[in-house]
Amino acid sequence: MAKKISTEDKILKSAQEIFHHKGFEGARMQEIADKAEINKGLLHYYYKSKDKLFESVFNIALKQMLSKLNEVLREEIDLFTKIEKLVDSYITVLSINTFIPNFVFQEINRNPDFFIEKFRKFNTNEGIKVFEKQIEEETAKGTIIKIDSKQLIINIISMSIFPFMAKPMAIGILELTEKDYKKIIDDRKKLVAKFTINAIKK
Amino acid sequence: MAKKISTEDKILKSAQEIFHHKGFEGARMQEIADKAEINKGLLHYYYKSKDKLFESVFNIALKQMLSKLNEVLREEIDLFTKIEKLVDSYITVLSINTFIPNFVFQEINRNPDFFIEKFRKFNTNEGIKVFEKQIEEETAKGTIIKIDSKQLIINIISMSIFPFMAKPMAIGILELTEKDYKKIIDDRKKLVAKFTINAIKK
DNA sequence: GTCTATAGCTGGATAGAC
DNA sequence: GTCTATCCAGCTATAGAC
């Protein structure tokens, strides 16, 4: 038998859909209530305010964006394998949650200073540190070219995330169909890693 | 003597600042009027509605993002030189208009289908086509590895634009100062081109 | 062209019945 | 827990004086 979905879950799911597409300012509590098939009163019964509801949605989104990344970054595998795994699993995660990057960066930019602090304190950077060290070791050993570890990380992340954020522009300018676009994204799971390794290996 | 700034210009400048930072939904006509040191009535005298004012701001932003890019893409220079020039001039342009990418992509995503059409019709893709052809020729000649031209373009653009969009996250997670960040961006004017050429040259 | 005042609506939040 | 009704603040847009 189908598991009964609680009202609270229905609200959260609806709120995610609306907030992800329209952002905090563009979202309407009425629209969220409609999508959840309840009324505004009940919405406020579960989540005291729009801010509170938004906070829940945002924190989940941030976690979806960072936890997988952090997980892979910490694994004890060799650099090239890690880059391959990183790109593949990250693009896979984002393929399921296509709207997350746009949503997250949009909201961060409404309040940049707050988030800089949040990232500094948060444990987001454990994985990054492990990865940075690993890059520096390989550079010292001479297996890869001399490159600033932060720059390399920025390159990998950029190529993995940006295509999701630029989807409508890419489709329009590169004259793609929805299917073309999907294919391109899927190909990137291998391509971005190859490209990166080509660029840095000696 | 100092050129007198017309009221209309003052309004546009103020509107850009507010819209770029807060987006259409987050922007308030009152705030724009305050920044321009006029009252709301006068705002509506020059620009009939918030929509109209927004449209002006958005179209300028889109142009700032695409025209330089398109210009370089069409030049008749060899592939590697073009990549170098492309990255350098593009990062330079965005360094002056840091908020443009976030603003543009946020607004595009509020209305993706409308913009897909706009890009299709617009002459945005002339340059892209020239560049695609050039890549394919070099691939055929064997001077560079076999790579889908669209994927290569996506990589270059991703590495050029994304760091601006992710600024607060980068500063927080990579533990940078504002100065570090500026240095990293500046270094990327050369680094991204080198990285790309390394990745594709045989 | 520029200002003040205000109309008119929208949307978040609460009260209170069931 | 769930609903309806309603309050009230905030916002765009307009009217009208100067």
Side-chain angles (χ1 to χ4, degrees):
Chain A
M1 66 201 173
K3 186 90 165 283
K4 192 173 172 287
I5 303 154
S6 73
T7 304
E8 197 167 353
D9 281 357
K10 264 203 313 199
I11 291 174
L12 193 64
K13 280 263 179 297
S14 308
Q16 286 178 316
E17 207 160 314
I18 305 291
F19 278 131
H20 288 175
H21 283 82
K22 312 204 168 180
F24 178 81
E25 296 285 356
R28 297 289 167 257
M29 293 298 265
Q30 184 62 60
E31 209 180 345
I32 294 171
D34 289 348
K35 185 157 291 244
E37 294 174 300
I38 52 155
N39 55 75
K40 272 197 294 178
L42 199 52
L43 234 184
H44 280 88
Y45 172 81
Y46 281 99
Y47 295 85
K48 279 270 154 296
S49 66
K50 188 182 180 184
D51 280 279
K52 289 258 191 303
L53 178 54
F54 175 80
E55 218 185 307
S56 303
V57 171
F58 183 84
N59 286 334
I60 293 170
L62 195 60
K63 213 173 167 182
Q64 286 175 318
M65 246 192 75
L66 294 179
S67 66
K68 185 71 190 174
L69 186 65
N70 209 36
E71 186 194 311
V72 177
L73 283 172
R74 298 173 62 179
E75 286 184 27
E76 291 192 7
I77 46 179
D78 77 273
L79 184 61
F80 291 170
T81 313
K82 191 179 278 192
I83 291 175
E84 280 163 6
K85 197 167 173 187
L86 194 63
V87 170
D88 185 289
S89 63
Y90 205 41
I91 294 181
T92 302
V93 168
L94 295 181
S95 296
I96 303 160
N97 311 285
T98 336
F99 297 96
I100 300 278
N102 261 306
F103 169 64
V104 168
F105 286 106
Q106 168 183 348
E107 297 305 329
I108 286 176
N109 267 59
R110 288 199 312 130
N111 222 336
D113 293 335
F114 171 79
F115 281 106
I116 289 177
E117 268 325 293
K118 184 163 177 160
F119 288 126
R120 283 231 172 88
K121 281 183 293 188
F122 211 44
N123 61 348
T124 354
N125 43 12
E126 281 176 52
I128 292 284
K129 276 185 182 153
V130 173
F131 194 51
E132 275 192 59
K133 213 179 141 201
Q134 193 172 8
I135 294 168
E136 279 152 24
E137 277 167 14
E138 297 296 326
T139 312
K141 270 198 269 174
T143 41
I144 61 169
I145 59 161
K146 209 165 166 291
I147 186 168
D148 180 76
S149 59
K150 293 182 203 298
Q151 296 279 15
L152 177 54
I153 292 168
I154 292 173
N155 285 354
I156 296 172
I157 306 281
S158 297
M159 289 188 285
S160 302
I161 299 185
F162 185 77
F164 292 98
M165 306 186 74
K167 178 177 173 183
M169 195 182 276
I171 287 185
I173 293 184
L174 298 176
E175 298 184 340
L176 308 171
T177 63
E178 189 71 29
K179 213 180 146 196
D180 294 334
Y181 175 78
K182 281 221 177 73
K183 173 82 162 56
I184 283 183
I185 290 288
D186 199 60
D187 288 346
R188 291 181 72 75
K189 289 179 190 169
K190 298 238 178 294
L191 184 141
V192 170
K194 261 190 210 160
F195 187 88
T196 303
I197 291 169
N198 263 358
I200 60 171
K201 77 152 180 271
K202 262 190 184 157
Chain B
M1 65 202 174
K3 187 92 164 282
K4 193 173 171 286
I5 303 154
S6 72
T7 305
E8 197 168 353
D9 281 358
K10 265 203 314 199
I11 291 175
L12 192 65
K13 280 262 177 298
S14 308
Q16 286 178 315
E17 207 162 315
I18 304 292
F19 278 132
H20 288 176
H21 282 83
K22 313 205 168 180
F24 178 81
E25 296 284 357
R28 297 290 166 256
M29 294 297 265
Q30 184 62 62
E31 209 182 343
I32 294 171
D34 288 348
K35 185 157 294 248
E37 294 172 300
I38 52 154
N39 54 74
K40 275 195 294 178
L42 199 53
L43 235 183
H44 280 89
Y45 172 81
Y46 281 99
Y47 294 86
K48 277 270 154 296
S49 65
K50 188 182 179 182
D51 280 279
K52 288 259 190 304
L53 179 52
F54 174 80
E55 219 186 306
S56 302
V57 171
F58 183 84
N59 285 335
I60 293 169
L62 195 61
K63 212 171 168 184
Q64 286 175 318
M65 247 192 74
L66 295 179
S67 65
K68 184 72 191 172
L69 187 66
N70 209 36
E71 184 194 313
V72 176
L73 284 171
R74 297 173 63 177
E75 286 183 26
E76 290 192 8
I77 45 179
D78 77 274
L79 184 61
F80 290 170
T81 312
K82 190 178 277 193
I83 291 175
E84 280 162 8
K85 197 166 174 188
L86 194 63
V87 171
D88 185 287
S89 64
Y90 205 40
I91 294 181
T92 302
V93 168
L94 295 181
S95 295
I96 303 160
N97 311 287
T98 336
F99 297 97
I100 301 277
N102 261 307
F103 169 65
V104 168
F105 285 106
Q106 168 183 348
E107 296 305 330
I108 286 175
N109 267 61
R110 289 198 311 129
N111 223 335
D113 293 335
F114 170 78
F115 282 106
I116 289 177
E117 268 324 292
K118 185 163 177 161
F119 288 126
R120 283 232 172 87
K121 279 183 292 188
F122 211 44
N123 61 348
T124 354
N125 44 13
E126 282 177 52
I128 292 284
K129 276 185 180 154
V130 174
F131 193 51
E132 276 191 58
K133 212 178 144 202
Q134 192 172 9
I135 294 168
E136 280 152 23
E137 277 166 14
E138 296 296 325
T139 311
K141 271 198 267 173
T143 40
I144 62 169
I145 60 162
K146 208 165 165 293
I147 185 168
D148 180 76
S149 60
K150 293 182 203 296
Q151 295 280 15
L152 177 54
I153 292 168
I154 293 174
N155 286 352
I156 296 172
I157 306 282
S158 297
M159 289 188 285
S160 302
I161 300 186
F162 185 76
F164 292 99
M165 306 187 74
K167 177 178 174 182
M169 194 181 275
I171 287 185
I173 293 185
L174 298 175
E175 299 184 340
L176 308 172
T177 63
E178 189 70 28
K179 214 179 142 194
D180 294 335
Y181 175 78
K182 281 221 177 73
K183 174 81 163 55
I184 283 183
I185 290 289
D186 199 59
D187 288 346
R188 291 181 72 75
K189 288 178 191 170
K190 298 239 178 291
L191 185 142
V192 170
K194 262 190 208 158
F195 187 88
T196 302
I197 292 169
N198 263 358
I200 59 171
K201 77 153 180 271
K202 260 190 184 156

